[in-house]
Amino acid sequence: MFFKLQFLIIFNIFLEVFCVDFPNDIHRCHIGDNNCVTNEFNRVFQNFENGHIGLNLKSLDPLKIEKMDIVQGGDSPVNIVLNFTNVDFNGLRKAKVHSISGFVSNPKKMEVRLKAPVLSLIGNYKINGRVLILPIAGVGKSNMTMENIEIQLRWIGKLIEKKDKKFYNIDKFRASFDTTLFIMNFSNLFNGDRALGDNMNKFLNENWKDILNEVKPSIVTAFAKIFKNLVNNVFETFPYNELFI
């Protein structure tokens, strides 16, 4: 009897550790119902900006980013090393998913497209290098804001067996985006020289299109890491079929 009781205790602990009930406040859709999945994406963005423990989602707005780097070198007219730390990624609460695909019974390629009126990255920065014709250097607080931004997220993966259940595993993740305005502000440029700093910020914003064209690949890489972590948290928590009705 003692050994039977021990077995039951251990088995219950196993269930608590490895089995997660799907949260009741999240609506599950039928597999392949793109409209339903789109609506649920939007409901999560709009109603759970502080995160959702049951979905294994941390805060969405602001989304906390410990470290993010933009490195642009070579023959580019923008040649910089820009390091961000302790960044708040703001604006996802007002993002709206308008297109999804690939959420089928045997998923491989998936895609999500979303738009947001404003997304901003606010945090600590360190920059060194050259922008177009001017040198730039500084350490301080930064704000990079994009208006009317459209983001496309695409990933490739497959179902793998784990704990006798099938989980979706991402192999490759890509991101791209377009925006109608890119605003930059860096405090304490050039060791706090106010005149030089103000002129540099003005120069950056007057030439944002040329600058963004050069640093966009690095920003895209950073976005891919940010959103991959969000998507992975859900896929790693629940077997794929349990995400749907």
Side-chain angles (χ1 to χ4, degrees):
M1 183 68 180
F2 174 75
F3 291 105
K4 184 178 180 180
L5 180 60
Q6 276 192 322
F7 173 79
L8 289 174
I9 293 172
I10 294 172
F11 183 70
N12 286 329
I13 293 173
F14 176 86
L15 288 178
E16 290 177 3
V17 172
F18 291 101
C19 298
V20 180
D21 291 331
F22 196 84
N24 293 326
D25 55 353
I26 300 297
H27 303 155
R28 285 192 285 187
C29 303
H30 290 283
I31 288 181
D33 188 344
N34 291 345
N35 288 334
C36 178
V37 175
T38 299
N39 290 336
E40 197 55 23
F41 264 113
N42 289 325
R43 203 176 70 84
V44 170
F45 279 137
Q46 294 162 11
N47 293 285
F48 299 103
E49 68 269 21
N50 295 322
H52 193 293
I53 295 176
L55 282 178
N56 195 21
L57 284 179
K58 296 182 180 179
S59 173
L60 293 173
D61 196 356
L63 180 63
K64 301 291 186 180
I65 304 170
E66 292 184 6
K67 183 180 179 183
M68 174 179 159
D69 298 320
I70 296 176
V71 180
Q72 179 66 42
D75 297 327
S76 170
V78 177
N79 198 309
I80 60 170
V81 176
L82 176 55
N83 310 117
F84 294 102
T85 55
N86 299 321
V87 174
D88 284 345
F89 187 38
N90 300 286
L92 281 179
R93 179 171 56 89
K94 294 185 178 180
K96 186 172 183 180
V97 175
H98 62 87
S99 174
I100 66 103
S101 64
F103 291 80
V104 295
S105 57
N106 187 23
K108 293 181 182 178
K109 295 180 181 179
M110 290 183 174
E111 179 179 289
V112 175
R113 291 174 179 256
L114 62 137
K115 295 179 180 179
V118 178
L119 289 179
S120 59
L121 292 156
I122 301 173
N124 302 321
Y125 85 93
K126 179 180 180 181
I127 191 171
N128 191 53
R130 175 175 51 82
V131 178
L132 303 181
I133 60 173
L134 298 178
I136 186 171
V139 178
K141 300 290 185 180
S142 65
N143 184 333
M144 293 174 57
T145 297
M146 290 162 279
E147 295 185 358
N148 301 315
I149 182 170
E150 181 167 2
I151 300 175
Q152 182 184 34
L153 307 172
R154 293 167 292 173
W155 60 88
I156 299 173
K158 59 186 177 182
L159 295 177
I160 61 171
E161 193 163 310
K162 187 166 55 173
K163 306 170 190 173
D164 295 325
K165 295 185 177 182
K166 291 186 177 180
F167 289 75
Y168 183 79
N169 182 67
I170 297 175
D171 293 324
K172 296 180 181 179
F173 197 103
R174 295 180 180 178
S176 61
F177 75 92
D178 289 299
T179 183
T180 60
L181 185 62
F182 183 52
I183 304 168
M184 293 161 279
N185 184 272
F186 298 97
S187 69
N188 199 48
L189 286 169
F190 307 109
N191 292 319
D193 189 307
R194 183 72 178 269
L196 287 177
D198 288 348
N199 285 332
M200 172 55 74
N201 280 309
K202 182 180 179 182
F203 175 81
L204 293 174
N205 291 307
E206 287 177 346
N207 296 276
W208 72 267
K209 289 184 178 179
D210 293 329
I211 295 169
L212 180 59
N213 186 55
E214 295 299 323
V215 301
K216 200 172 186 178
S218 294
I219 296 177
V220 162
T221 299
F223 275 5
K225 291 180 181 179
I226 293 168
F227 286 103
K228 181 182 180 181
N229 286 336
L230 279 179
V231 176
N232 252 343
N233 283 346
V234 177
F235 283 142
E236 290 177 351
T237 302
F238 299 99
Y240 182 74
N241 69 307
E242 293 183 12
L243 295 172
F244 302 91
I245 297 173

